[in-house]
Amino acid sequence: MPRGLWTTTVGSFPKPPHLERARNQFARGEITAEALESLEREATADLIKKQEEIGLDILVDGELYRGDMTTFFAERMSGFEISNPVRSYGNRYYRKPIAVGPIRRNGPWTVDWWKFAQSRTKKPVKGMLTGPYTMMDWSFNEHYPTREAMAMDLADAIREEAIALAEAGAQYIQVDEPAVSVRPEELKLAIRALGRAVEGVKAKTITHICYGDFDVIYPAMLDLPVDMIDLEMANSRYDLLDRFRQHPFTKEIGYGVLDVHSHRIETRDEVKRGILRGLELLKPEQMYVDPDCGLKTRTVEEAMEKLAVMVAAVREVREERGITA
Amino acid sequence: MTIQTTLSGSFPKLPLTPGQSNVRVTRNRLDQGKATGRDLSEAIREATRRIIALQESAGIDIPVGGQVAWDDSQTFVARGIRGFEIAGLIRYLDTNTYYRQPEITGPISWTGPITAEDYRSAQEMAHRPVKAVLPGPYSLYRFSKDRHYREAAPALRALGEALALESGALEEAGAGWIHFEEPWLGRAAAADAPSIRAALEPLFHGRRARTTLHVPFRSPAAVFDTIRGLGWTALGLDLVESPEAWDLLPEVPKGRTVALGLIDARNTRLEDPARVAQAVDRARSIRPDLDWQLCPTASLEYLPVDRAAMKVARLAEAARLASRNGG
Ligand SMILES: [Zn+2]
């Protein structure tokens, strides 16, 4: 019997409202770091349980203790300062890292959180990091002479963390590179930097890319030196499959079937159809089924409902096609 | 000869010092039902006043209003043009900022002034003539999804005419200088030239106000033959991200102004005014016959407000040095 169609998620989950409130209280100095962390642990343990109940095969810690995906890491490295707020759209702002000196990893960033999450389940929990190209592209740079020099120092720091996660027992390590798709002319640099970041890491390596002009970077992006590339399929109505028809997808794929920007809960049939279309071109053992992107912008209820539909659809396809997990 | 200084597009809306009126806080309070629409309008006016005062006290010759009421660089204007609907949030090029994508769902037509009232109010707060800023029609089209025309040429012609009418309304409101922000000209191919001409020609035709065509990020070399033929007063170039834009200077038509984007709007690192002044000298030695402005490469809103303010000061200082050099 063929195996495959494992289910997972891209990484982030929505923070429950009480945790959002606690983060704001902490920012205003109304509660201690310890008090916040104990709530984060509780919420993470609860999220692991929820993922098991839904029936996902590969779990994540949900990143409930992280804010922005670059600032969280920059705050934990030497060589970075964090800027005052910069606007991203409308009334949304974020603090952006500024490279002001050589970037180094001085100690673990996420290993304790990974260990905590893994201790709550027998299923594998993915290690989740932001990639060197994206960290570079989404930061200001006052120190490095070139974008490449900064990306490569970041890659060395990220590699230390990835190795530490693998040594702690992580079987899957995902190094997200959402920025890769917006500057196709720098794809080669992104490939070099990501290659450095995962070099010698004894785990299955994954990268997630999103919101991009895949027409320009496919099939060149297949050179990204990881085992699996995670892509948004549903958001572009599975248009990417046409590209795969012209040039086969040669790696394992994180196959996104849930639109994370929509409140609407997908139907089981539409998710199933999306998976079946994929199976026309991809082998089941190549495919990991997941949402298009992180779920953090959805409500907790929407996220769980969407995932339940996804798992149910996968179960039906597995049954019909005689595929086991 | 003096070098004029100006900014392009939007400016950070947050106050430099805590405790001042804050648009972000007021908008959050409005969402929570704790503030009124009038509170927000007042906060927007206050931020605009602050942004203009900051430029004037630094000595910026041609200040801008800062687009305080705009959510992004495209939708404030697109919303006001008939034929557009506003869809989901997507990335604004490679800036790690976002905009809502305008969708063309019907024939494009201009039905009345969109930015003129805000312009008038900004001008009332200023002691110097304020420059009006609009998205350029070519970029607005490329940033949008066309569900109606399905081919570029007629859509671009209609958009160019709509923005020309908006420019007329700005002139009526007193604008003596209108700036069009056109990042997509740096990403256009030679084959796009005819549609670019169709979109941009109406902007400059019979215009009383002086005009800037500003191309942030990338050099518009591929379509420069077309750009040269248009009637703009000043051409804005990004010489930091695209040093190859220097090569365009010899081709600029006589009698025009070039706005030298030499202050990096996308990095917090502060420029040395003396070095910026040297770059201005270099431009003057290439083309002694042209007039010059000095400006940031793009909107300063890619920066936090503290660095944006410091960049404005450096910009003014560099222009003073360059004017002195130029004797
Ligand atoms: Zn994503």
Side-chain angles (χ1 to χ4, degrees):
Chain A
M1 249 188 182
R3 301 185 59 207
L5 298 185
W6 297 279
T7 53
T8 187
T9 58
V10 178
S12 68
F13 270 78
K15 296 180 179 70
H18 77 275
L19 190 56
E20 285 289 4
R21 275 197 299 278
R23 287 173 67 87
N24 289 334
Q25 286 171 326
F26 174 68
R28 293 195 298 262
E30 293 164 12
I31 62 169
T32 63
E34 292 72 35
L36 176 62
E37 193 180 319
S38 112
L39 290 174
E40 287 167 345
R41 281 178 174 259
E42 217 173 87
T44 304
D46 186 50
L47 180 62
I48 294 285
K49 211 163 85 206
K50 284 209 178 100
Q51 293 176 81
E52 286 191 327
E53 282 165 11
I54 286 171
L56 293 164
D57 297 313
I58 301 161
L59 313 191
V60 294
D61 72 13
E63 303 172 18
L64 304 179
Y65 53 91
R66 301 185 193 177
D68 180 82
M69 67 180 284
T70 52
T71 308
F72 171 83
F73 291 102
E75 280 171 339
R76 284 159 181 77
M77 294 183 220
S78 59
F80 274 119
E81 284 175 5
I82 307 297
S83 82
N84 284 320
V86 177
R87 185 165 85 145
S88 71
Y89 166 79
N91 213 29
R92 296 191 203 167
Y93 288 78
Y94 68 112
R95 289 174 189 276
K96 203 165 158 169
I98 309 175
V100 294
I103 292 165
R104 301 285 181 265
R105 174 181 179 270
N106 299 323
W109 305 327
T110 61
V111 179
D112 286 347
W113 275 109
W114 180 85
K115 282 184 184 160
F116 173 74
Q118 187 63 79
S119 74
R120 314 294 296 203
T121 178
K122 294 201 163 57
K123 294 194 168 172
V125 174
K126 275 196 279 193
M128 304 293 306
L129 302 170
T130 301
Y133 180 81
T134 298
M135 285 288 303
M136 177 276 290
D137 192 52
W138 291 1
S139 300
F140 295 121
N141 169 22
E142 300 191 6
H143 174 73
Y144 288 94
T146 63
R147 290 165 63 83
E148 167 143 27
M150 180 166 163
M152 290 322 241
D153 264 10
L154 278 159
D156 286 335
I158 292 162
R159 178 167 175 266
E160 288 176 30
E161 179 75 3
I163 286 173
L165 282 167
E167 281 173 353
Q171 300 168 43
Y172 297 86
I173 296 176
Q174 183 172 317
V175 185
D176 288 340
E177 288 287 20
V180 156
S181 56
V182 292
R183 284 198 199 201
E185 71 277 14
E186 285 189 336
L187 184 61
K188 284 215 163 67
L189 164 57
I191 289 170
R192 271 199 303 282
L194 186 61
R196 175 86 66 89
V198 299
E199 195 183 314
V201 175
K202 293 190 175 53
K204 192 182 283 278
T205 53
I206 307 162
T207 193
H208 166 74
I209 307 177
C210 58
Y211 299 107
D213 193 350
F214 291 106
D215 279 347
V216 182
I217 62 169
Y218 191 84
M221 74 182 194
L222 290 171
D223 292 337
L224 284 161
V226 285
D227 301 308
M228 188 193 313
I229 302 181
D230 184 77
L231 297 168
E232 41 174 15
M233 303 297 292
N235 186 25
S236 58
R237 303 190 185 107
Y238 299 92
D239 283 353
L240 271 171
L241 290 172
D242 297 334
R243 309 284 307 167
F244 298 176
R245 221 175 288 275
Q246 292 155 22
H247 192 291
F249 194 87
T250 50
K251 292 180 182 288
E252 292 175 326
I253 183 169
Y255 190 84
V257 296
L258 300 174
D259 183 353
V260 300
H261 299 293
S262 161
H263 295 290
R264 189 179 69 85
I265 309 298
E266 284 78 359
T267 66
R268 191 189 305 184
D269 268 354
E270 70 180 294
V271 174
K272 222 177 119 179
R273 273 198 306 277
I275 297 169
L276 290 172
R277 285 180 65 184
L279 281 171
E280 291 169 16
L281 298 168
L282 301 157
K283 296 193 227 29
E285 59 267 31
Q286 223 181 333
M287 284 173 76
Y288 292 71
V289 179
D290 66 358
D292 271 353
C293 191
L295 288 163
K296 70 175 169 193
T297 54
R298 298 276 59 84
T299 66
V300 175
E301 293 72 26
E302 285 166 356
M304 298 308 163
E305 277 182 56
K306 279 174 178 267
L307 289 173
V309 168
M310 179 182 94
V311 169
V314 167
R315 283 204 180 122
E316 283 192 15
V317 176
R318 276 181 179 160
E319 217 156 277
E320 286 169 20
R321 298 292 174 99
I323 299 163
T324 57
Chain B
M1 204 173 58
T2 61
I3 307 294
Q4 281 191 316
T5 49
T6 188
L7 304 193
S8 95
S10 58
F11 192 86
K13 292 147 189 54
L14 300 186
L16 261 172
T17 39
Q20 286 181 306
S21 152
N22 186 321
V23 180
R24 184 189 186 190
V25 171
T26 310
R27 280 183 70 162
N28 284 335
R29 289 173 53 85
L30 182 67
D31 290 344
Q32 296 158 2
K34 293 179 192 160
T36 64
R38 183 184 287 190
D39 294 334
L40 181 60
S41 308
E42 192 39 50
I44 289 171
R45 283 179 59 82
E46 206 36 56
T48 307
R49 197 188 314 276
R50 204 160 54 211
I51 288 166
I52 290 172
L54 181 140
Q55 295 169 78
E56 290 192 329
S57 68
I60 299 298
D61 300 303
I62 311 171
V64 296
Q67 301 177 344
V68 179
W70 298 26
D71 278 337
D72 59 57
S73 65
Q74 306 298 313
T75 47
F76 188 90
V77 169
R79 252 178 238 283
I81 298 175
R82 182 174 292 161
F84 275 108
E85 286 173 30
I86 306 300
L89 216 53
I90 59 169
R91 285 208 179 121
Y92 187 76
L93 304 172
D94 57 5
T95 62
N96 199 23
T97 67
Y98 292 78
Y99 72 105
R100 285 203 182 276
Q101 189 167 39
E103 291 190 352
I104 304 172
T105 56
I108 287 168
S109 70
W110 183 85
T111 57
I114 304 161
T115 58
E117 203 42 55
D118 285 351
Y119 176 80
R120 216 175 260 125
S121 122
Q123 184 58 73
E124 276 167 17
M125 300 170 188
H127 301 93
R128 299 175 188 182
V130 170
K131 184 171 73 171
V133 182
L134 291 173
Y138 182 66
S139 295
L140 178 51
Y141 183 72
R142 295 289 301 263
F143 280 126
S144 302
K145 192 172 256 170
D146 181 0
R147 297 190 183 281
H148 175 74
Y149 291 91
R150 311 275 178 176
E151 54 173 331
L156 279 164
R157 207 169 305 121
L159 256 181
E161 277 157 19
L163 286 163
L165 290 167
E166 179 66 14
S167 304
L170 281 164
E171 287 176 327
E172 287 297 305
W177 202 304
I178 304 173
H179 170 121
F180 301 97
E181 191 81 355
E182 279 283 18
W184 275 98
L185 290 180
R187 293 162 186 259
D192 300 322
S195 54
I196 289 171
R197 188 177 306 117
L200 268 57
E201 241 163 16
L203 300 181
F204 308 110
H205 188 76
R207 186 74 39 239
R208 271 178 289 148
R210 280 172 289 181
T211 49
T212 299
L213 185 64
H214 187 88
V215 187
F217 314 138
R218 299 196 179 177
S219 166
V223 292
F224 196 66
D225 274 345
T226 296
I227 291 175
R228 294 182 78 226
L230 298 167
W232 40 267
T233 316
L235 176 69
L237 296 171
D238 183 336
L239 298 164
V240 177
E241 197 167 321
S242 297
E244 62 274 20
W246 279 100
D247 299 340
L248 302 178
L249 292 187
E251 311 299 324
V252 172
K254 285 191 175 47
R256 307 291 184 97
T257 300
V258 173
L260 298 163
L262 287 165
I263 300 287
D264 190 352
R266 292 183 62 184
N267 198 1
T268 47
R269 178 158 46 195
L270 296 173
E271 286 77 7
D272 172 4
R275 296 195 60 166
V276 174
Q278 279 166 17
V280 175
D281 287 343
R282 184 182 152 201
R284 280 194 290 217
S285 69
I286 297 170
R287 284 297 298 274
D289 59 315
L290 295 180
D291 286 327
W292 304 97
Q293 291 179 346
L294 187 58
C295 61
T297 54
S299 152
L300 285 175
E301 202 169 13
Y302 298 116
L303 298 171
V305 66
D306 52 324
R307 297 298 176 110
M310 287 187 244
K311 294 248 178 183
V312 169
R314 301 263 169 141
L315 171 67
E317 174 62 14
R320 276 191 288 271
L321 292 174
S323 297
R324 204 179 300 154
N325 295 352

